[in-house]
Amino acid sequence: MLVLIVIAFLQMNTGVLYDFSKSASLEGWYIVNDGVMGGRSSSTFKLNKQGNAIFTGQVSLENNGGFSSVHYRFPALETTGYQFLALRVKGDGKRYQVRIKDRAGDTYSYIAYFTTSGEWQHIKVPLKDMYPSFRGRTLDLPNFSDGEIEEFALLIGNKKEETFRILIDKIEFLK
């Protein structure tokens, strides 16, 4: 519990949501694949020798499946004053979806897409452009605005069978 309080304090002061390193803990991170609805996709989330997180797996369309995701829940993090959600990632040339929730218990997420290049890149997603979505449908609600978030997720679901691999170095909020 003390670790979570310290992480939350550091996050509030620096804008860093998660900075992976060799000594990073993956506590609080969990995978949700399409198996929750009968699908057959699979994935793993772990640290490599360099201290980057690796999210890798296989998306399957079998049994109406089609997605893999990794989630991170945390105590409410204030986002007022920040304009961007930023990630430093090295992907596989595929399209991914970044998701945030202002309340972890909500059924919908605010989402945005980005495509990786195969090289290390800095992705900057304007928070105001993240729109509410539930099960692939855009909701008739306003886009994300200043406030708090309690969950971050990274998802791949491109409506095709594919293997995927993305390395994550840092997730942060920028002004």
Side-chain angles (χ1 to χ4, degrees):
M1 182 66 171
L2 179 58
V3 171
L4 289 176
I5 293 169
V6 170
I7 290 171
F9 176 76
L10 291 173
Q11 292 167 345
M12 288 186 291
N13 289 320
T14 65
V16 173
L17 178 60
Y18 217 93
D19 190 357
F20 293 95
S21 68
K22 291 179 185 179
S23 62
S25 166
L26 297 182
E27 185 178 336
W29 290 90
Y30 62 97
I31 289 175
V32 177
N33 293 319
D34 55 21
V36 297
M37 33 191 254
R40 305 262 192 231
S41 298
S42 61
S43 62
T44 61
F45 189 69
K46 60 186 177 183
L47 291 175
N48 67 10
K49 291 178 185 175
Q50 292 75 31
N52 302 119
I54 305 173
F55 180 44
T56 186
Q58 170 72 42
V59 175
S60 170
L61 300 180
E62 193 175 337
N63 282 1
N64 296 314
F67 75 89
S68 289
S69 64
V70 62
H71 297 248
Y72 177 52
R73 283 196 176 164
F74 43 86
L77 175 63
E78 180 63 44
T79 61
T80 302
Y82 292 105
Q83 294 180 18
F84 301 96
L85 173 62
L87 299 94
R88 184 171 183 270
V89 298
K90 182 178 182 181
D92 48 15
K94 295 186 171 92
R95 184 176 84 146
Y96 291 85
Q97 185 184 114
V98 64
R99 298 172 156 225
I100 58 173
K101 287 187 175 185
D102 51 3
R103 288 180 300 282
D106 285 347
T107 56
Y108 64 92
S109 299
Y110 295 95
I111 69 170
Y113 291 91
F114 67 92
T115 301
T116 60
S117 67
E119 301 296 326
W120 281 106
Q121 60 191 125
H122 292 275
I123 306 294
K124 282 176 60 174
V125 176
L127 287 168
K128 66 179 179 58
D129 292 348
M130 296 185 77
Y131 61 92
S133 177
F134 178 69
R135 293 188 178 164
R137 289 185 294 270
T138 302
L139 302 177
D140 188 21
L141 295 170
N143 285 3
F144 183 78
S145 61
D146 285 347
E148 297 179 337
I149 67 165
E150 295 179 354
E151 184 174 301
F152 167 89
L154 188 63
L155 179 141
I156 185 166
N158 295 320
K159 299 183 182 179
K160 61 182 174 181
E161 295 203 9
E162 60 186 339
T163 60
F164 66 91
R165 177 178 157 84
I166 186 169
L167 281 71
I168 311 164
D169 179 53
K170 186 184 253 185
I171 306 162
E172 63 187 324
F173 292 95
L174 301 175
K175 295 185 180 200

